[in-house]
Amino acid sequence: MKAWSRAEDQEHWHEIVRRRLDEPASADEDVVEELAQHAAAAFDAARDAGSTPAEAEAAAVAMIEDWCRQPSVRRRRLHRLAPPPPPARGGLVAWRADLRHAGRLLVRQPGAAAVAVLTIALAVGATTTLASVAYGVLSRPLPWPDADRIVRVLETREGSTRPLRFLTNVAYETWRDGASTRDGASTLDALAAYSAGTVTVDLGEGAERLASAGLTASAFDVLRPVPVLGRAFRPEDEDSQTVALISYGLWQRRFGGEPSVVGSAITVDGERRTIVGVMPDRFDFPEVETAIWTPFRVTALQPSADGVHSSVQLFSGIGRLRAGVTAVQAASEATTLARNGPKVGLVGVAVFGSEGPTVISVTPIGEAMTAEVRPALLVLLAGVGLLFATAIGGIAITQVARAVGRRREMAIRAAMGAGSGQIMRQLLLEHLAAGLAGGALGLGLAVVLHRALPRLLPADFPRLTDIVVDWRIGLVAAALAVAAGLLTALYPMAQARRLDLSSALTEDGRAPTGAGWRTATARLRASMIVAQVAVTVVLLAGAGLLARSFIALMHVERGYDPVNVLTARLALPEALPAAAQQALLDQVMTRLSAHPDVVRAGYGGFAPFMAGGGMLALTLPPEVTGATENRAAEAALGVVSAGYIESLGMRVREGRSFTAGDGEGTQPVLIINREFARRYLVREPVGTQINMAFGQRAAWTIVGVVDDLMPAVPGEIAQPQILMLASQVGASVPMHDAKVIIRTRRTPSALTPVLRAIVHDVAPDVPVDAVMTMEDRVSASLARPRLYALLLGGFATFSLLVAAVGLFGVLAQGVAQRRRELGIRVALGASPARLLRLVVGQGIGLAAAGIAIGCAAAWLGARSVASLLYGIPARDPWTLAGVGAIVLAVAVLASVVPARHAARVDPLLALKS
């Protein structure tokens, strides 16, 4: 007797069963299938118990022959079949056999199995990927000892609407010195200051621009990193300013990882410094790109007669809390000391935009680093959770339909001796197998997506290097896969538990005439469809709001024309006198303007999306402001060259722009923006004189008004701005970090080599960096809102597809089960159009109920996305109306095919079936 392998036993047992039946040609395939499955299971059990293949096959064949001698098999009424019980199996053997059986069932139905596995894979992959991003960004511990005690310290004023960005030396010194006199009762172990920027570094192979940061020596008491080589900064380094630290990446890239780098000299912004240490890998403070650190010195407070300090230094602050101290306690201590300390007068108004009392903000460093992306990540996590629920709901709807069709199969198994526990276990394993297969594929998809994250996420996304796929993410994928299997198995297992053998074996799978949606199963599937549509509406509403917000950001009035504009930054030596800096820049502009592809070229201390510029505090007289006394004013200061306004495409609304006649020996002139005129001036701006002390100049005349430039952060209020000519400011404002603006006649990027060549000819040691078209800068500024809209839009699209398929399946099965009823309706005179309306109406009814529930949920949850929107309200009725129309249209399309099948029912065939 041949020993059949387990891979080929399926057809082998089918053939044996057919040969043993009296009428093989007319054998009931359900009977053949079920008997073959049990024979294969008996064979496997005997082999597991130690029987030889021949012995196991002989035992299984004997069981088949005994079954086939039963009269009930010949009459194909298996509810009367009482076969001998199969060999006892328990424990791991039974589970293995059931698992093999579950695998065979999946193989026999490859279409349904593939749909379920792929749906779970997409849901698990998307959920796992976003979970890895959320955990890495929001929850993964920072790579510093006791990082939960490290805080960000920033300063503001009551009534200020500006985002927190700075800490002043006044508040810093007051807190540090005041706390030191309290006998160790301070809330901090250490307080430090830092300032991020870029520096020009000469490593012996030419100058290059690198991201840098200045750190006080106390920063190493706060962060507590351990250098790979050398040492950290000491307090005396802040005074000498002759040392530097380099990053691990720079050490490997430019010094080949040589230990001898400690003690070697480099040139930083024209000054020679000695490398005293190499920081550890992934010491990403304050930015990932930071490659070099220099000592930072906080300007000491100087006594003043009136208690007001005008020489204010701005930087960022960090601290380490004492054990057991909260951030709220530290903020309270710092605020109290700052309010009782020295004042900064008008400088505070210029910096913070308010004259209110000082407020010190103390925030855990992790929260501060991720504050900008936290709301969006939470929204996306909720969205991907709804996506997972939709996917599982779609599979569950399919399983509810299959459970009805498999009632007879379950009855056959029960009639052949399988207990309810064995049947429920078999069903659980079937669904777990699909869930685990989908989970494995989903985890693989998450790994692939993780590798693509650096290209998918914006470059400024915080903690990007902390996003990894590790064992925690593997556990999440496994948990989701198991959850998918368990949730989709619930209804089939419940049906098997309540199985009625007599009715199950005699039913033909069709609903009773007139049953419609009144059966419990039909109502359950309808409820699931409604819930699925509601979830889809919520996702579509969120995606629609984000998409409309992104479109609004794309078309917002920016105050300049970004088309055909090339931007770059020239880092001039700080030791170079201001007059020499301007002469060098003017020479570069002259040569650029002579190029045939250049329309206009200019430079300035600021540019959109490029750090630079400063704040200016001034006093305006009553005749200018209309107030009863002098009024303090503050404005963003932009020192620019002639041609800058035209190069950037700023629009002059009143008066004129700067001209060639405005120069060092002429009347000093200003150009203001519309916000400055609106906020401070009551009379015609053009011709108004403002007194400001710049160099030897005092009275400055306003000659023009330009549009407001859109703030870099959407939603912020445009600030008052004053533009001044670099040639008239002179040495008052050095131009060592100049932004070059070039308006071109053709593709701006084509002018990049021209710019580099001209700068190299004029000043070979000046690096040209941050070269980018203005359109690319605008696009980069929209990277996050674009990403959020695309992700939530993808979730919503997937959910809509699953809901449409589910609705189609519900209606199609309803039509199949109600063929007799539909045939009777046709026989009684119902027209095809009426049957078409009947089925489509059912689809529209289910969709309408889901749309109503989804719109209500979206309206109630609108606040969750409010912080991510620009230019549209969170509760936008037009968005909800559009979403409802889309879902309704998709529901109609999903209903058309089942409705056409219903309209084509042949009453004679339907009544005979």
Side-chain angles (χ1 to χ4, degrees):
M1 184 174 291
K2 180 178 179 180
W4 293 86
S5 68
R6 293 179 180 177
E8 57 186 343
D9 66 350
Q10 183 177 352
E11 186 56 39
H12 170 60
W13 296 116
H14 279 71
E15 185 59 32
I16 290 178
V17 171
R18 290 192 185 94
R19 288 202 305 266
R20 293 316 190 268
L21 291 174
D22 291 343
E23 299 176 3
S26 60
D28 190 320
E29 284 302 317
D30 287 343
V31 174
V32 173
E33 175 69 24
E34 197 64 31
L35 294 181
Q37 289 180 18
H38 283 278
F43 175 87
D44 293 339
R47 291 287 291 124
D48 291 337
S51 300
T52 65
E55 292 172 344
E57 184 170 359
V61 170
M63 291 177 61
I64 294 174
E65 291 176 344
D66 185 71
W67 287 335
C68 293
R69 283 194 294 269
Q70 299 289 331
S72 54
V73 171
R74 297 190 182 94
R75 295 195 301 270
R76 295 184 299 177
R77 296 184 62 182
L78 297 187
H79 62 286
R80 297 183 181 176
L81 182 63
R89 297 178 296 162
L92 188 60
V93 174
W95 281 91
R96 276 207 310 260
D98 287 339
L99 188 58
R100 285 195 298 268
H101 183 60
R104 285 194 294 268
L105 289 177
L106 291 177
V107 171
R108 283 209 316 271
Q109 298 175 335
V115 170
V117 169
L118 290 178
T119 301
I120 294 174
L122 290 174
V124 170
T127 307
T128 303
T129 301
L130 201 53
S132 70
V133 173
Y135 176 75
V137 174
L138 302 180
S139 302
R140 185 178 292 276
L142 290 164
W144 303 312
D146 299 322
D148 58 320
R149 291 166 53 191
I150 302 175
V151 292
R152 176 80 57 82
V153 182
L154 296 175
E155 181 179 352
T156 186
R157 297 291 185 270
E158 283 189 4
S160 174
T161 58
R162 295 183 183 175
L164 299 177
R165 289 178 180 152
F166 306 110
L167 180 68
T168 64
N169 58 330
V170 177
Y172 179 90
E173 295 279 340
T174 300
W175 192 8
R176 187 188 62 183
D177 297 342
S180 65
T181 63
R182 301 175 62 185
D183 299 326
S186 172
T187 56
L188 294 183
D189 278 337
L191 179 65
Y194 69 93
S195 179
T198 57
V199 292
T200 302
V201 181
D202 190 346
L203 301 174
E205 301 177 2
E208 62 179 304
R209 200 73 174 169
L210 296 177
S212 69
L215 300 177
T216 59
S218 57
F220 297 90
D221 296 325
V222 175
L223 300 174
R224 298 180 182 177
V226 179
V228 177
L229 293 176
R231 64 173 177 86
F233 292 148
R234 299 168 180 162
E236 56 268 25
D237 293 329
E238 296 177 12
D239 295 323
S240 65
Q241 294 291 318
T242 58
V243 299
L245 295 167
I246 63 173
S247 69
Y248 184 90
L250 183 62
W251 176 48
Q252 294 291 325
R253 185 175 70 253
R254 296 300 301 270
F255 296 95
E258 290 292 334
S260 59
V261 68
V262 175
S264 61
I266 59 174
T267 302
V268 181
D269 281 341
E271 298 179 353
R272 289 184 63 80
R273 293 178 181 264
T274 301
I275 298 176
V276 296
V278 177
M279 299 308 294
D281 190 19
R282 293 188 62 206
F283 179 68
D284 303 331
F285 184 83
E287 303 292 343
V288 175
E289 298 83 7
T290 305
I292 190 166
W293 294 268
T294 56
F296 182 78
R297 180 172 54 191
V298 176
T299 303
L301 299 182
Q302 300 297 326
S304 58
D306 57 359
V308 175
H309 293 263
S310 57
S311 57
V312 176
Q313 186 184 19
L314 301 177
F315 45 81
S316 298
I318 54 173
R320 176 175 284 272
L321 299 175
R322 287 189 183 276
V325 174
T326 66
V328 174
Q329 292 172 324
S332 177
E333 177 189 61
T335 300
T336 300
L337 290 171
R339 291 184 177 183
N340 295 328
K343 310 302 178 186
V344 295
L346 290 178
V347 178
V349 178
V351 174
F352 303 108
S354 173
E355 298 180 273
T358 301
V359 177
I360 303 298
S361 169
V362 178
T363 310
I365 189 75
E367 293 182 16
M369 293 171 64
T370 61
E372 292 184 0
V373 300
R374 182 180 296 271
L377 282 180
L378 295 178
V379 169
L380 292 175
L381 274 177
V384 81
L386 293 176
L387 169 70
F388 184 80
T390 302
I392 301 308
I395 300 173
I397 291 172
T398 304
Q399 296 306 322
V400 170
R402 289 189 63 209
V404 175
R406 296 182 67 186
R407 281 168 54 84
R408 191 162 186 260
E409 173 192 341
M410 297 299 106
I412 292 173
R413 293 186 182 185
M416 296 180 65
S420 62
Q422 182 181 354
I423 294 176
M424 292 175 65
R425 182 178 65 203
Q426 183 66 59
L427 290 170
L428 177 62
L429 288 177
E430 289 178 25
H431 292 83
L432 281 178
L436 292 175
L441 287 177
L443 184 58
L445 176 62
V447 172
V448 173
L449 290 175
H450 173 261
R451 294 178 179 175
L453 282 179
R455 294 186 296 273
L456 297 176
L457 295 178
D460 61 346
F461 205 83
R463 305 192 64 184
L464 193 57
T465 57
D466 289 326
I467 303 173
V468 297
V469 178
D470 56 10
W471 62 270
R472 299 178 185 85
I473 305 304
L475 286 180
V476 171
L480 292 173
V482 172
L486 291 175
L487 292 173
T488 55
L490 287 178
Y491 184 81
M493 292 172 64
Q495 286 289 92
R497 185 182 181 88
R498 299 191 301 265
L499 188 64
D500 181 354
L501 294 184
S502 179
S503 62
L505 288 169
T506 55
E507 68 183 11
D508 60 2
R510 292 180 175 82
T513 303
W517 297 102
R518 293 195 296 271
T519 64
T521 300
R523 287 196 297 269
L524 175 63
R525 297 183 67 197
S527 300
M528 295 174 71
I529 285 293
V530 170
Q532 201 169 44
V533 171
V535 170
T536 301
V537 168
V538 172
L539 287 174
L540 282 174
L545 290 172
L546 292 179
R548 292 192 60 196
S549 175
F550 174 68
I551 293 172
L553 283 170
M554 288 182 61
H555 297 92
V556 70
E557 178 55 54
R558 303 185 179 278
Y560 59 91
D561 181 10
V563 180
N564 287 343
V565 174
L566 182 68
T567 64
R569 180 171 55 195
L570 302 185
L572 306 183
E574 294 188 20
L576 196 66
Q581 290 177 350
Q582 291 183 21
L584 186 153
L585 291 169
D586 288 338
Q587 187 177 356
V588 171
M589 295 306 106
T590 299
R591 295 187 58 177
L592 278 172
S593 300
H595 194 278
D597 290 328
V598 175
V599 177
R600 196 70 185 269
Y603 64 87
F606 82 102
F609 309 111
M610 301 177 74
M615 298 301 297
L616 180 66
L618 61 157
T619 303
L620 300 177
E623 59 269 19
V624 172
T625 63
T628 57
E629 57 184 12
N630 289 344
R631 180 181 177 185
E634 49 90 18
L637 174 63
V639 178
V640 301
S641 71
Y644 178 93
I645 291 177
E646 290 76 14
S647 300
L648 188 56
M650 299 176 69
R651 287 175 283 277
V652 179
R653 295 300 184 182
E654 298 181 41
R656 63 175 177 83
S657 180
F658 295 126
T659 65
D662 300 319
E664 184 177 0
T666 63
Q667 169 65 34
V669 295
L670 301 172
I671 292 178
I672 63 174
N673 68 346
R674 299 175 74 176
E675 179 62 21
F676 187 97
R678 184 195 65 79
R679 188 177 299 188
Y680 298 123
L681 306 182
V682 295
R683 65 184 190 185
E684 183 66 28
V686 176
T688 298
Q689 285 196 339
I690 298 177
N691 291 325
M692 294 185 300
F694 274 88
Q696 303 300 318
R697 309 301 180 93
W700 297 71
T701 303
I702 298 174
V703 296
V705 180
V706 296
D707 278 342
D708 301 328
L709 295 180
M710 180 185 173
V713 179
E716 285 189 14
I717 301 173
Q719 296 299 312
Q721 187 175 43
I722 291 177
L723 301 180
M724 308 175 72
L725 270 175
S727 59
Q728 293 187 334
V729 170
S732 300
V733 182
M735 195 65 67
H736 56 266
D737 190 20
K739 282 74 177 178
V740 176
I741 310 295
I742 308 170
R743 181 163 293 277
T744 67
R745 290 187 173 87
R746 59 189 182 100
T747 306
S749 56
L751 269 293
T752 299
V754 174
L755 171 63
R756 294 188 183 277
I758 291 175
V759 173
H760 184 268
D761 289 344
V762 174
D765 295 332
V766 174
V768 180
D769 71 328
V771 182
M772 188 183 295
T773 69
M774 186 58 75
E775 288 182 297
D776 286 342
R777 292 192 185 278
V778 172
S779 178
S781 73
L782 300 177
R784 287 184 189 175
R786 178 171 52 242
L787 174 69
Y788 302 153
L790 288 175
L791 283 178
L792 204 56
F795 297 163
T797 302
F798 179 81
S799 180
L800 181 62
L801 178 61
V802 171
V805 172
L807 181 61
F808 171 83
V810 167
L811 295 177
Q813 190 184 38
V815 169
Q817 290 180 337
R818 299 170 62 192
R819 284 181 60 84
R820 289 177 180 171
E821 174 192 339
L822 297 174
I824 293 173
R825 288 175 179 267
V826 173
L828 294 176
S831 65
R834 185 172 181 179
L835 297 182
L836 192 71
R837 288 196 302 269
L838 174 66
V839 178
V840 172
Q842 290 173 349
I844 291 176
L846 293 175
I851 291 170
I853 297 173
C855 285
W859 187 271
L860 294 175
R863 288 187 177 182
S864 61
V865 297
S867 62
L868 307 179
L869 303 180
Y870 175 84
I872 60 171
R875 291 175 173 170
D876 180 35
W878 294 107
T879 300
L880 291 179
V883 166
I886 291 173
V887 174
L888 199 60
V890 171
V892 171
L893 291 176
S895 306
V896 166
V897 174
R900 293 183 64 185
H901 282 300
R904 295 175 179 175
V905 168
D906 187 328
L908 294 178
L909 294 178
L911 292 174
K912 287 180 180 180
S913 62

